[in-house]
Amino acid sequence: MKPMLASALTLAVTFTVSAGALAQTASPLSAQDSNPETMGWMQGFPPAADKTIRFTDPDFFTFPKLRWTVCHFRQLMPNVGVSKGSAGARPLPLALDPGLDSVRFTPLGADTTMTWNEAFAANYTDGILVLHHGRVVYERYDGCLKPDGLHAVMSVTKSIAGLLGEMLVAEGKLDDAALVGSIIPELKDSAFGDATVRQVMDMTTALAYSEDADLRTYSMAGSPLPKPKDYTGPRSYFEYLQTVKKAGTHGEAFAYKTINADALGWLIARSSGQSVAELFSERIWSRIGAEREAFFTADSIGTPFAGGGFNVSLRDLARLGQLMLDEGRVGSEQIVPAAAIARIRNGGEAALFANAGYTRLPGWSYGGQWWVSNDEHGAYAARGVYGQTIWVDPKADMVIVRLASYPVAANAANDPTSLPAYRAVAEYLMANDGAPLAR
Amino acid sequence: MKPMLASALTLAVTFTVSAGALAQTASPLSAQDSNPETMGWMQGFPPAADKTIRFTDPDFFTFPKLRWTVCHFRQLMPNVGVSKGSAGARPLPLALDPGLDSVRFTPLGADTTMTWNEAFAANYTDGILVLHHGRVVYERYDGCLKPDGLHAVMSVTKSIAGLLGEMLVAEGKLDDAALVGSIIPELKDSAFGDATVRQVMDMTTALAYSEDADLRTYSMAGSPLPKPKDYTGPRSYFEYLQTVKKAGTHGEAFAYKTINADALGWLIARSSGQSVAELFSERIWSRIGAEREAFFTADSIGTPFAGGGFNVSLRDLARLGQLMLDEGRVGSEQIVPAAAIARIRNGGEAALFANAGYTRLPGWSYGGQWWVSNDEHGAYAARGVYGQTIWVDPKADMVIVRLASYPVAANAANDPTSLPAYRAVAEYLMANDGAPLAR
């Protein structure tokens, strides 16, 4: 395989790895030993040849190199900006609580406990921030990430597309009962043609697409790199989607397939007249008081990768989580209809999720491209491979955002040292509760 | 030639076209007829096949497609951001003067006059803004550019590198009398080895490099695209610079060669420990009250293209011009040493410039990678192909910035309808002078 194909393939594999694809890396380097600064990646002008990472390297997004790459997608591939407008950042009030580091929890399936502090390195965390009552109670960085740096959020991107989709639905601009083919005629003869918008948003479409067999074609279509001379396949995400065939009946099972997010991105663009990046900037990013301009990686025609291309600072990801927790409000301004957030919190159909094989996520569902725990806190999440997370806990009035570069892609690998930790911190904060901050 | 080579080549040709290389396009489309919206480039999701522009198209940066491309480099190729920090924009006070549109001037070599308004379309202007006494007296957009959009400034980038270089010299961090080889040992055996930093900054190096014969290798080195399988040449700007041979004696003549800017970029990185993009962000972009994050296009190892890769909004380019006019101050804060700006205003050696063939620029010189007119207004400029300009007129207390997409690359083509227009507007503003704004 040519290097450029291999790298595109690697990228897509890691963007889209499914629940069942939990690969095991034999004794990977520790978080400390794999720290990109320790490894020496891309230091100096120029970096040493054996410390150089290029987009065309077949392993540019494989551990441990990925620990550098997650912070540097912009310099590796084309992308589109998400402007935050010309206003300054909205302050995130600080109320740091050193007590969090001592919070103990029992990892899933473990006999012994672990502290929040120990989980930081165990999860190869690049940055984690906890908001309680809208105040920063914990904020910590490592690896390639700095407070003003950007980091890939991988499939958290899908939840951003889902939020935009639910917003358009709540505003009556996108009919979630409509057939996709009625909105995008180019998709009429594809698997998506007779699926409803809702089925795409909840990933209950029946698609003849597997991350294994069809990945190469999908990756080639979305890659911004030149195609081989004899290439005749699809040359963009939109072209690829037109080739997808149906397998089974829509609406009968949840199946996590990235191409649903790309189809939703197309639905958003067609119904709003703006790309996912443009709509997100105009409706949300320029109105939540973001600190940094964010970006989406893009295919060769500038389509933002709705399935996994968003890159953002940790604090700004926290602002997005707080927007969810505040049911679409920023201060006194309702920037997203509360009905859109309510729909996301409500989740998808748990019965359709149950057979999808997520043993770490019993009782959960997936709806509007968000993961909903259905626990007694009403917690829900945006999740991306290698540990990217927005965790919203309405009962605890808490948001946790985490950016990470775990050696294994599928989150089933880090869920044991993550999910119970989130809950333990929520309970700690509720037990030590102060007065909520007016907002 | 393979498409990817051709496109890289096109890019470099247009970045670096020299004074003598004034090609004539036979009857190009008018500004109105070549407007990217009129042409229909990249409209819709997806755009029509014959209206799609990709980085791998051989003509992606040829008129008329270039009129779209100048605003969209970010989605075409990898790049590095220039953060503006988390503060809001510094207001640009408005004092719009509709009288400017009627200002008349005589184009160089012409018998009849033209108005400022007529020059707008004649120069294929995408955006032009005039600051007088620090206030916006004129601001107008067309083509692909919007007030919040970014546009390539081409070789104006060299002047940004020059500003950073002069700043480091003024601060004693870079010795302009030192030999390049003493600062960058990797360049010791190249043509740059026994050139002084000053000779690089003033482009009086004697380099066996022509934009014709050596362009292909240079372009391939700097291209972020995959190299052919059998490629053994340089794979970055820095690697290319090491291959340049000497031709003649340094310091004897001005010769405009883009690779001097790349060498200066390397000198800046080596002496400051930061890339041109990082240093520019920390020292200038985060302190001038910019509205938008800017960016540099990058090679395959993330090196910002110091010779021509900067992209910026019109208003922020005006803020940069105002910084020059205000001798390095923003409000009451001195962010660049006044000595650095004074050195730039002073220009290079006019005698070394005189024989370089710039018939439109009699009596000018080039120093610190800025163009200095030596006229009685003390006007000086940053200039990039297709009409990109920062024009600083100290006597009139005026800055003009222009972003454009002229059909012909070399500015000799648009100088006749630009240079006398700048002077005429300066004289108009001086004749109608109000009280200077306190700043």
Side-chain angles (χ1 to χ4, degrees):
Chain A
M1 190 180 296
K2 293 178 187 178
M4 70 170 120
L5 299 192
S7 72
L9 193 56
T10 306
L11 188 65
V13 168
T14 50
F15 275 156
T16 61
V17 66
S18 61
L22 171 55
Q24 195 55 53
T25 304
S27 306
L29 292 172
S30 70
Q32 190 182 339
D33 291 343
S34 64
N35 184 302
E37 287 191 25
T38 310
M39 301 289 292
W41 304 125
M42 297 298 276
Q43 292 173 11
F45 306 99
D50 64 342
K51 299 296 184 182
T52 296
I53 299 177
R54 287 182 161 94
F55 186 53
T56 47
D57 294 342
D59 61 343
F60 85 102
F61 201 54
T62 302
F63 182 88
K65 283 186 181 175
L66 77 85
R67 299 209 68 199
W68 176 87
T69 300
V70 285
C71 294
H72 296 91
F73 270 106
R74 181 172 185 171
Q75 76 179 61
L76 295 171
M77 56 189 298
N79 47 79
V80 291
V82 179
S83 170
K84 69 181 200 67
S86 57
R90 193 166 193 269
L92 278 180
L94 285 183
L96 297 175
D97 181 351
L100 259 73
D101 269 330
S102 309
V103 170
R104 287 203 164 270
F105 66 94
T106 305
L108 299 177
D111 299 327
T112 55
T113 62
M114 176 183 262
T115 64
W116 178 256
N117 177 51
E118 289 163 351
F120 185 88
N123 293 327
Y124 293 76
T125 309
D126 295 323
I128 193 162
L129 191 154
V130 183
L131 286 170
H132 185 226
H133 300 322
R135 290 179 287 222
V136 179
V137 296
Y138 194 89
E139 181 178 10
R140 186 171 170 190
Y141 298 87
D142 197 19
C144 61
L145 194 61
K146 301 279 185 299
D148 62 350
L150 306 185
H151 191 291
V153 299
M154 315 309 293
S155 294
V156 169
T157 312
K158 297 178 173 69
S159 303
I160 289 170
L163 174 61
L164 294 175
E166 295 288 8
M167 182 184 78
L168 294 176
V169 169
E171 292 173 345
K173 294 169 186 163
L174 177 62
D175 178 3
D176 66 350
L179 298 183
V180 171
S182 72
I183 299 171
I184 303 176
E186 297 97 316
L187 287 176
K188 216 172 178 57
D189 296 331
S190 78
F192 295 102
D194 67 345
T196 65
V197 171
R198 174 55 54 194
Q199 286 161 344
V200 168
M201 291 177 71
D202 292 356
M203 294 208 190
T204 60
T205 46
L207 309 177
Y209 173 89
S210 93
E211 310 289 0
D212 301 321
D214 302 298
L215 187 60
R216 186 194 156 103
T217 319
Y218 172 62
S219 303
M220 281 293 289
S223 170
L225 295 177
K227 302 288 181 281
K229 201 174 180 177
D230 56 352
Y231 181 78
T232 57
R235 300 170 64 89
S236 68
Y237 291 120
F238 292 161
E239 283 190 18
Y240 181 80
L241 294 172
Q242 298 172 53
T243 71
V244 178
K245 301 295 178 203
K246 197 171 171 183
T249 307
H250 298 314
E252 292 191 341
F254 165 69
Y256 185 79
K257 297 185 177 183
T258 293
I259 55 175
N260 284 296
D262 297 312
L264 177 57
W266 197 355
L267 287 164
I268 289 167
R270 196 52 74 80
S271 52
S272 73
Q274 294 177 291
S275 76
V276 165
E278 292 164 343
L279 185 68
F280 190 54
S281 170
E282 180 179 310
R283 293 297 307 276
I284 296 180
W285 212 243
S286 60
R287 300 169 78 181
I288 62 166
E291 290 184 27
R292 283 294 310 270
E293 187 164 315
F295 70 86
F296 288 86
T297 59
D299 70 7
S300 66
I301 61 168
T303 306
F305 179 27
F310 193 58
N311 289 255
V312 64
S313 78
L314 184 68
R315 287 179 186 160
D316 286 341
L317 193 65
R319 288 181 170 92
L320 185 62
Q322 190 67 34
L323 175 74
M324 303 299 294
L325 184 63
D326 289 341
E327 298 173 318
R329 287 185 310 278
V330 175
S332 59
E333 192 190 7
Q334 189 81 41
I335 68 170
V336 176
I341 313 293
R343 180 78 198 229
I344 286 168
R345 285 181 58 174
N346 205 41
E349 287 187 54
L352 301 187
F353 186 92
N355 293 325
Y358 293 87
T359 54
R360 299 293 193 199
L361 309 177
W364 287 49
S365 74
Y366 190 84
Q369 305 205 354
W370 288 72
W371 302 82
V372 177
S373 79
N374 294 313
D375 70 5
E376 61 270 37
H377 281 209
Y380 62 101
R383 291 159 57 88
V385 286
Y386 302 108
Q388 326 312 321
T389 308
I390 303 174
W391 182 264
V392 183
D393 182 330
K395 187 175 179 189
D397 198 20
M398 179 190 79
V399 170
I400 298 174
V401 286
R402 183 182 66 188
L403 298 167
S405 42
Y406 201 86
V408 175
N411 281 323
N414 70 73
D415 279 343
T417 47
S418 303
L419 300 181
Y422 300 157
R423 181 56 175 267
V425 164
E427 285 166 3
Y428 166 85
L429 291 170
M430 290 168 75
N432 295 273
D433 213 350
L437 184 72
R439 61 174 194 270
Chain B
M1 191 180 296
K2 292 178 186 178
M4 70 169 120
L5 300 194
S7 72
L9 193 56
T10 306
L11 188 63
V13 169
T14 51
F15 275 157
T16 60
V17 66
S18 62
L22 170 55
Q24 195 55 54
T25 304
S27 305
L29 292 171
S30 70
Q32 189 181 340
D33 291 344
S34 65
N35 184 302
E37 287 192 24
T38 309
M39 301 289 293
W41 304 124
M42 297 297 277
Q43 292 173 12
F45 306 99
D50 64 342
K51 299 296 185 182
T52 296
I53 299 176
R54 286 182 161 95
F55 187 52
T56 47
D57 293 342
D59 61 343
F60 85 102
F61 201 53
T62 302
F63 183 88
K65 283 184 180 175
L66 77 85
R67 300 211 66 197
W68 176 87
T69 299
V70 285
C71 294
H72 297 92
F73 271 106
R74 181 172 184 169
Q75 77 178 60
L76 295 171
M77 57 188 298
N79 46 79
V80 291
V82 179
S83 171
K84 69 180 199 71
S86 58
R90 192 165 196 268
L92 279 181
L94 285 183
L96 297 175
D97 181 351
L100 260 72
D101 269 330
S102 309
V103 170
R104 288 203 163 268
F105 66 95
T106 304
L108 299 177
D111 299 325
T112 57
T113 62
M114 178 183 259
T115 65
W116 178 256
N117 177 52
E118 290 163 350
F120 185 89
N123 292 328
Y124 294 76
T125 309
D126 295 324
I128 192 161
L129 191 154
V130 182
L131 287 170
H132 185 225
H133 299 325
R135 291 179 287 222
V136 180
V137 295
Y138 194 88
E139 181 179 9
R140 186 172 169 189
Y141 298 88
D142 197 19
C144 62
L145 193 62
K146 301 278 186 298
D148 62 351
L150 306 185
H151 191 291
V153 300
M154 315 309 293
S155 293
V156 169
T157 311
K158 297 177 173 71
S159 303
I160 289 171
L163 173 61
L164 294 175
E166 296 288 8
M167 182 184 78
L168 294 176
V169 169
E171 292 172 344
K173 295 169 185 164
L174 178 61
D175 177 3
D176 65 350
L179 297 185
V180 171
S182 72
I183 299 171
I184 304 174
E186 298 97 314
L187 286 177
K188 217 172 178 54
D189 296 331
S190 77
F192 295 102
D194 65 346
T196 65
V197 171
R198 174 55 54 194
Q199 286 161 343
V200 168
M201 291 177 72
D202 292 354
M203 295 208 190
T204 59
T205 47
L207 308 176
Y209 174 89
S210 92
E211 310 288 0
D212 301 321
D214 303 298
L215 188 60
R216 186 193 157 105
T217 319
Y218 172 63
S219 304
M220 282 294 290
S223 170
L225 295 177
K227 302 287 181 283
K229 201 173 181 176
D230 56 352
Y231 181 79
T232 57
R235 300 169 64 87
S236 67
Y237 291 121
F238 294 159
E239 283 189 18
Y240 181 80
L241 295 172
Q242 298 171 54
T243 70
V244 178
K245 301 295 177 204
K246 196 172 172 184
T249 307
H250 297 313
E252 294 192 340
F254 165 69
Y256 186 78
K257 297 186 177 183
T258 293
I259 55 175
N260 284 296
D262 296 312
L264 177 58
W266 199 353
L267 287 165
I268 288 168
R270 196 51 73 82
S271 52
S272 74
Q274 294 178 291
S275 75
V276 165
E278 291 165 344
L279 185 68
F280 190 54
S281 171
E282 181 180 309
R283 294 296 308 277
I284 297 181
W285 212 243
S286 60
R287 302 168 79 182
I288 61 166
E291 290 185 27
R292 283 294 308 271
E293 186 164 317
F295 71 86
F296 288 86
T297 58
D299 69 9
S300 66
I301 61 169
T303 306
F305 178 27
F310 192 58
N311 289 254
V312 64
S313 79
L314 183 66
R315 286 178 186 161
D316 286 341
L317 193 64
R319 288 181 170 92
L320 186 61
Q322 190 67 36
L323 175 73
M324 302 300 294
L325 184 63
D326 289 342
E327 297 172 319
R329 288 185 308 279
V330 174
S332 60
E333 192 188 8
Q334 189 82 39
I335 67 171
V336 176
I341 313 293
R343 180 77 199 227
I344 287 168
R345 284 180 61 175
N346 205 41
E349 287 185 55
L352 301 187
F353 186 92
N355 293 325
Y358 292 87
T359 55
R360 299 296 193 198
L361 309 177
W364 288 49
S365 74
Y366 190 84
Q369 305 205 354
W370 288 73
W371 303 81
V372 178
S373 78
N374 294 313
D375 69 5
E376 62 269 40
H377 281 209
Y380 62 101
R383 293 157 58 88
V385 284
Y386 302 109
Q388 325 313 322
T389 308
I390 303 174
W391 181 263
V392 184
D393 182 330
K395 185 174 180 190
D397 198 19
M398 178 191 80
V399 169
I400 298 175
V401 287
R402 183 182 68 188
L403 298 167
S405 42
Y406 200 86
V408 174
N411 282 322
N414 70 74
D415 280 342
T417 48
S418 301
L419 300 181
Y422 300 157
R423 181 57 175 268
V425 164
E427 285 167 3
Y428 166 85
L429 290 171
M430 291 168 74
N432 296 271
D433 211 352
L437 185 72
R439 58 174 196 273

